[in-house]
Amino acid sequence: MNRILLLIFILFYSNIVFSQKKVSLEFKQQILEKVIDKLEEDFEIKYSYVDSIIKEKIIYLNKKKYSLEEVNLEIETQTKLKIAKLSDRYYSIFKDTIEVNKMIQLDEILIESFLVKGIKKNKEKYILFPRKTEILPGVTDADVFLSLQQLPGVKSPNETATGLYVRGGTPDQNLLMLDGIRLFHPGHLFGMISGVNPTIVEKVSFYNKGTNSKYGERISSVIELETSNELQKKTKTIAGINGLNADLFFQTPLVKEKLDIQLSARKSFTELVQSYTFNQLANKVFQNTDFKSFNNSNKFQFSDYTLKLIYKPNEKSIFTISGISIDNNLNYNYKINQDSISNQEMKILNNGLSINWIKKYSNSFQHKTNIYFSKYDFQYLKRNDYTTTKNFEAFKKLNRIINSGIDIDFNSIINDKISLDYGIQISGNDVSHLLNSYNQDLGIDVNSNRVYSVVSSGYINYKIINKNWNSQIGLRYNYFSKVDKQTIEPRILIQNTISKVLIFQLTYERKNQQINQVRENVANDLSLENYVWVLGGSDKYPIQKASQYSAGFIYKKANWLIDLDAYYKNIDGITSFNFGIFNQNQNQTNRGNGFTKGFDVFLQKETKSIRTSFTYSYQDSQNRFENLNSFNFFPSNANIKHAVNITCLKNWNSFSMALGWFWHSGKPYSIIDSNSNTYNADNLNDYHRMDISMDYKFSTKKLNFKTGFSIYNIYNRKSLISREYERKYTSFSDFTNERFVKQDYYSLGFTPNVFLRVYF
């Protein structure tokens, strides 16, 4: 009995001592965000908060020893904010009673700075804040998609910004959204840079496993981009320029504290001035084509524009209208020989509109309605005119998607441990494509199709926190009208805090995808655009299904971080064209399935001014098809077995520098000849490069500036990144007697870029 009393006394006394822990602090007009970072480190606690409520808050503390309770009281007094204790380690900063209930349900941020500050990780996703993200090696101006490539398990084998292969998935298997608008071509310059201006993006949520059942439509990852919903007290302007384009962002109040408007515009100047940066990108993109140089008559240009209205009638409701337009335009003329001229024109448009309404009915219940519309329009025409004979030959490719729908989502907070997300979603897709080859005498419809389908979905997601356990169980139901088919998608995420420094996580998810890209081997010189969107539901193009299992650990102690995650994914309903496998019978499409297994290792060490990270990814991705390779598995096109990233960031007050080295084993490739076909049996040589980026911040009385540069592939290594066999249609006989030509594609060489950004 005495021992029990002694133990109780020791525990009670320890708790008192811990709560009375004091730390020597001094802040002279320090921003609250920096104060929070310091308190979390000194007192070994965590604050949860919405970024907007602490913005521009300043703290002043005289030098002395403070307890945590004393510091929290000072913060409340000086900022008029409130701080609630959620547990011995977690605190919430909020404005009012509605905010505190919302903050209780916020997912704990497991990692505050993943790679760099501005990238965070919670139990189910990565969160990027492009405006706040520190510099990354080789990334100019916080390009969203280039930034995502430096996360574990994300690869871009073809060195494009938007060609993201996530854990063996292909780029078309990633769900891309901006304020609820679905994006089907989110890139410029054939995907070399993002088609979304990074200055407009407030937050990026990236899911690569255990995805919330709210999200369907794609079987790989979810990339959700959100613009700011915050009203501004005064006009805010950001202007920038780099080696490819100039941009402008503008937000101003129309009705004070009620209605704001946001506008952004980004426009290339490549049609007027061809910088060294553009020429390097063009050399890489237009390999194995007839495009040799650009000038005033042969032009490539791009632009993107956004518009947003934010209306806040009261503290409980907010209405927004968002619009985006992404435009790429190519017009190129050249002489084939003395009496023949070739012209190639390409236009790619992705326009969209969304209307969002968020309503908080009480402290524990809110809903969000999103109505969206998106139009993707691809037009390509290649025409050869023979002036002597007045003959011509031409090829036309058209691809169009009309996508629209409505999402109605609800969130209910049952208590401080349980919450519920649920909703209904209805979406429609009208997808068509046409591939036509013709001359003065004959026209051949190479391939054409138009399909319309409506998908009706409902979902429920149950979250529960119980001591050291954090669980998320979800279920999604889909009904595909075109094929009269129903699917069920379970989602499970279980997290256990084993100790203060070790966390275990287990996930499972099942997904379905109806709309996807297939490769068409036709007379198109633009190899990066040899894909068309089609709507699945037939024997030729089935609905794809995928399941993914993952398990991992996160270890955090002092300034060390270790993140380990192993996964297994299987997929059914793929076709031979999805992965660029060419069968000698062009009219035959082969169905198949596949799997990907692998693991990611991430290590990070952080000091006061230096952050170093190491990433290793292992991946084995295999496919098989009914009439290929005796139905045996063989490596997929993007099967990069080993990949290593090493990055280092150094800060000197207003100056930052990031250096990164990237290596991966060579991609597999097929051999097609008259004797035999081998499917991805050989591998290219290893790939590696080194990138560097630097930036510097300075200000005047009225303006803030940020300038810097990046260099991609410092030592100018020329790596073979792809070997393909393209079907040719040079003569009429090629339509009946198939002919393939081997083409090698090499990596981007030494490519510098500079930028300047001004904040008004």
Side-chain angles (χ1 to χ4, degrees):
M1 182 68 181
N2 291 334
R3 290 181 179 179
I4 295 174
L5 291 174
L6 178 61
L7 179 60
I8 294 172
F9 173 76
I10 291 172
L11 292 174
F12 177 72
Y13 180 75
S14 299
N15 186 58
I16 293 175
V17 171
F18 177 78
S19 65
Q20 296 301 317
K21 176 183 177 182
K22 292 195 174 185
V23 175
S24 180
L25 298 170
E26 181 183 18
F27 298 116
K28 294 182 178 180
Q29 303 298 319
Q30 182 64 271
I31 61 174
L32 181 53
E33 184 178 12
K34 297 291 185 182
V35 174
I36 290 172
D37 290 342
K38 175 67 173 171
L39 297 178
E40 289 181 334
E41 180 180 350
D42 289 347
F43 289 99
E44 297 181 353
I45 59 168
K46 288 293 180 184
Y47 290 97
S48 59
Y49 53 88
V50 177
D51 288 345
S52 59
I53 69 170
I54 70 167
K55 188 168 57 177
E56 300 179 357
K57 300 291 186 182
I58 302 297
I59 300 297
Y60 180 89
L61 289 182
N62 291 320
K63 186 175 182 179
K64 71 170 189 176
K65 287 189 175 183
Y66 292 86
S67 68
L68 179 59
E69 289 75 11
E70 290 172 332
V71 179
N72 284 341
L73 181 59
E74 285 290 341
I75 293 174
E76 289 182 328
T77 303
Q78 296 184 34
T79 64
K80 308 303 181 184
L81 298 172
K82 299 294 182 183
I83 299 178
K85 183 177 180 180
L86 306 181
S87 68
D88 288 339
R89 190 168 177 239
Y90 298 103
Y91 291 78
S92 173
I93 304 176
F94 58 96
K95 282 183 179 179
D96 51 37
T97 56
I98 292 179
E99 291 284 357
V100 69
N101 279 277
K102 183 67 176 174
M103 297 312 298
I104 289 173
Q105 292 301 320
L106 281 179
D107 291 318
E108 176 198 349
I109 297 297
L110 303 180
I111 303 170
E112 286 289 340
S113 298
F114 194 98
L115 277 176
V116 294
K117 287 185 178 180
I119 302 179
K120 302 182 179 183
K121 184 180 180 181
N122 67 14
K123 71 175 185 292
E124 61 177 340
K125 63 185 177 182
Y126 295 91
I127 307 169
L128 287 74
F129 301 92
R131 294 178 182 175
K132 300 178 181 180
T133 300
E134 292 179 316
I135 196 166
L136 288 166
V139 179
T140 303
D141 242 2
D143 187 293
V144 172
F145 297 114
L146 287 176
S147 299
L148 288 173
Q149 288 180 23
Q150 302 200 13
L151 297 176
V154 184
K155 301 182 180 71
S156 179
N158 293 325
E159 286 193 325
T160 59
T162 57
L164 302 181
Y165 289 74
V166 180
R167 294 188 164 185
T170 54
D172 62 303
Q173 293 169 354
N174 302 320
L175 176 61
L176 304 174
M177 298 184 293
L178 174 71
D179 287 349
I181 303 168
R182 276 58 173 172
L183 301 178
F184 299 92
H185 189 87
H188 290 314
L189 194 56
F190 295 91
M192 294 304 294
I193 64 172
S194 168
V196 180
N197 188 342
T199 60
I200 71 166
V201 181
E202 177 76 12
K203 176 183 174 183
V204 181
S205 298
F206 173 61
Y207 300 79
N208 67 347
K209 62 179 180 182
T211 310
N212 191 305
S213 57
K214 172 184 176 181
Y215 302 99
E217 305 177 48
R218 302 292 191 274
I219 60 173
S220 189
S221 73
V222 176
I223 304 172
E224 184 176 27
L225 294 81
E226 302 174 56
T227 59
S228 174
N229 285 340
E230 291 298 314
L231 299 174
Q232 296 292 322
K233 294 182 180 180
K234 58 183 180 179
T235 300
K236 178 181 181 180
T237 306
I238 305 173
I241 188 170
N242 59 40
L244 297 170
N245 55 258
D247 67 88
L248 180 69
F249 171 83
F250 174 83
Q251 180 171 347
T252 190
L254 297 179
V255 179
K256 189 176 180 181
E257 297 182 352
K258 291 289 185 182
L259 179 65
D260 272 24
I261 185 171
Q262 291 179 8
L263 295 168
S264 83
R266 181 168 55 160
K267 179 74 175 66
S268 67
F269 47 75
T270 54
E271 66 273 25
L272 303 174
V273 179
Q274 292 79 46
S275 66
Y276 184 81
T277 304
F278 171 74
N279 288 332
Q280 286 294 89
L281 294 173
N283 290 338
K284 190 264 180 186
V285 168
F286 297 113
Q287 295 178 72
N288 298 310
T289 72
D290 294 316
F291 303 109
K292 304 303 180 185
S293 62
F294 290 84
N295 49 45
N296 291 333
S297 59
N298 293 325
K299 299 179 180 180
F300 180 87
Q301 52 191 317
F302 60 82
S303 60
D304 55 74
Y305 307 93
T306 65
L307 166 68
K308 184 169 186 177
L309 291 172
I310 307 167
Y311 175 56
K312 194 172 183 180
N314 52 59
E315 288 299 318
K316 294 185 177 181
S317 296
I318 185 167
F319 296 86
T320 65
I321 300 176
S322 300
I324 185 170
S325 176
I326 301 173
D327 184 9
N328 287 266
N329 213 315
L330 170 72
N331 192 333
Y332 201 95
N333 298 277
Y334 58 93
K335 279 189 176 183
I336 301 175
N337 51 48
Q338 197 65 28
D339 67 339
S340 58
I341 299 174
S342 179
N343 172 248
Q344 297 196 48
E345 296 182 31
M346 184 207 69
K347 295 181 180 179
I348 306 177
L349 292 172
N350 199 160
N351 299 329
L353 178 72
S354 69
I355 301 173
N356 285 279
W357 172 35
I358 302 174
K359 170 78 172 181
K360 292 183 180 180
Y361 294 93
S362 68
N363 294 350
S364 59
F365 180 69
Q366 74 171 28
H367 104 279
K368 177 181 179 180
T369 298
N370 171 39
I371 303 172
Y372 59 89
F373 170 85
S374 181
K375 179 182 179 182
Y376 164 77
D377 194 2
F378 178 98
Q379 301 178 36
Y380 171 74
L381 175 64
K382 178 180 180 180
R383 179 177 171 121
N384 295 335
D385 286 287
Y386 303 96
T387 56
T388 304
T389 61
K390 295 185 180 180
N391 291 340
F392 72 90
E393 56 182 0
F395 172 76
K396 179 188 294 184
K397 174 181 174 182
L398 306 175
N399 194 195
R400 176 174 293 180
I401 302 172
I402 304 295
N403 169 258
S404 60
I406 181 171
D407 299 341
I408 304 176
D409 306 313
F410 300 92
N411 172 253
S412 297
I413 299 173
I414 310 302
N415 52 48
D416 61 352
K417 294 181 179 180
I418 300 174
S419 69
L420 203 62
D421 298 322
Y422 52 97
I424 58 174
Q425 302 170 356
I426 301 174
S427 65
N429 286 297
D430 186 345
V431 185
S432 59
H433 73 268
L434 168 68
L435 293 92
N436 187 273
S437 185
Y438 57 96
N439 58 32
Q440 69 284 345
D441 300 317
L442 178 69
I444 298 177
D445 186 352
V446 180
N447 200 330
S448 64
N449 194 21
R450 179 177 180 181
V451 184
Y452 176 77
S453 179
V454 174
V455 182
S456 304
S457 304
Y459 74 91
I460 186 168
N461 203 64
Y462 179 78
K463 298 181 181 180
I464 182 168
I465 302 171
N466 185 11
K467 295 183 179 179
N468 294 327
W469 291 91
N470 197 331
S471 303
Q472 179 174 293
I473 302 172
L475 195 67
R476 182 179 180 86
Y477 165 84
N478 302 304
Y479 174 70
F480 300 93
S481 66
K482 180 180 182 296
V483 291
D484 190 23
K485 185 175 182 179
Q486 305 175 67
T487 62
I488 300 292
E489 301 177 0
R491 314 281 176 85
I492 300 171
L493 187 151
I494 299 173
Q495 177 188 303
N496 177 235
T497 303
I498 298 173
S499 68
K500 289 184 178 180
V501 298
L502 187 63
I503 298 170
F504 170 74
Q505 194 173 78
L506 184 72
T507 73
Y508 167 75
E509 64 182 17
R510 184 164 179 81
K511 296 181 177 180
N512 294 269
Q513 178 170 336
Q514 187 178 28
I515 185 171
N516 55 77
Q517 285 183 320
V518 297
R519 179 156 187 163
E520 298 287 352
N521 306 311
V522 292
N524 183 351
D525 277 350
L526 306 178
S527 63
L528 290 179
E529 297 300 333
N530 274 357
Y531 294 87
V532 296
W533 287 95
V534 299
L535 197 63
S538 63
D539 290 337
K540 186 175 182 180
Y541 303 124
I543 293 175
Q544 297 178 351
K545 306 173 185 177
S547 296
Q548 182 181 195
Y549 310 80
S550 75
F553 291 89
I554 296 174
Y555 174 83
K556 300 184 298 177
K557 187 173 183 180
N559 296 319
W560 281 96
L561 167 65
I562 303 175
D563 189 351
L564 309 175
D565 202 50
Y567 60 91
Y568 177 83
K569 179 193 293 186
N570 58 54
I571 178 174
D572 188 26
I574 57 178
T575 69
S576 58
F577 293 117
N578 285 82
F579 296 87
I581 309 301
F582 306 138
N583 186 279
Q584 292 297 324
N585 187 350
Q586 173 75 13
N587 296 321
Q588 182 178 352
T589 300
N590 300 288
R591 289 187 58 171
N593 55 55
F595 69 85
T596 300
K597 59 183 178 181
F599 61 86
D600 300 316
V601 180
F602 178 80
L603 288 80
Q604 181 171 285
K605 169 66 174 174
E606 183 178 359
T607 64
K608 187 175 182 180
S609 61
I610 299 177
R611 183 181 290 108
T612 305
S613 64
F614 169 87
T615 304
Y616 169 72
S617 294
Y618 169 81
Q619 174 185 298
D620 181 17
S621 185
Q622 305 272 330
N623 302 309
R624 65 177 181 179
F625 300 94
E626 293 169 346
N627 299 304
L628 295 178
N629 203 38
S630 302
F631 200 48
N632 293 319
F633 282 104
F634 57 89
S636 69
N637 249 24
N639 184 43
I640 295 177
K641 277 206 169 184
H642 308 281
V644 172
N645 297 354
I646 302 174
T647 63
C648 182
L649 173 70
K650 170 68 176 175
N651 290 313
W652 296 273
N653 296 323
S654 298
F655 177 76
S656 298
M657 180 179 73
L659 186 69
W661 186 70
F662 305 89
W663 172 93
H664 66 70
S665 52
K667 281 176 54 179
Y669 68 94
S670 301
I671 296 176
I672 297 181
D673 56 36
S674 58
N675 297 319
S676 64
N677 298 339
T678 62
Y679 299 100
N680 288 348
D682 293 304
N683 286 77
L684 303 175
N685 292 331
D686 294 352
Y687 168 97
H688 60 84
R689 72 174 197 273
M690 180 175 286
D691 302 339
I692 190 172
S693 296
M694 298 185 185
D695 69 19
Y696 177 70
K697 300 175 184 177
F698 61 98
S699 60
T700 63
K701 290 183 178 180
K702 295 184 178 180
L703 302 176
N704 294 317
F705 296 87
K706 183 179 180 181
T707 186
F709 72 90
S710 66
I711 300 177
Y712 190 96
N713 196 357
I714 294 175
Y715 46 72
N716 198 28
R717 175 181 167 83
K718 189 176 183 181
S719 299
L720 180 60
I721 60 174
S722 182
R723 175 166 288 164
E724 302 179 6
Y725 290 82
E726 183 176 1
R727 185 176 176 184
K728 289 295 184 179
Y729 289 83
T730 304
S731 63
F732 182 80
S733 64
D734 289 336
F735 284 94
T736 55
N737 301 313
E738 294 173 337
R739 183 169 62 90
F740 294 90
V741 176
K742 184 182 76 171
Q743 294 183 336
D744 287 342
Y745 295 87
Y746 290 89
S747 61
L748 182 63
F750 176 88
T751 307
N753 202 350
V754 296
F755 74 92
L756 173 66
R757 193 156 293 284
V758 186
Y759 303 83
F760 299 86

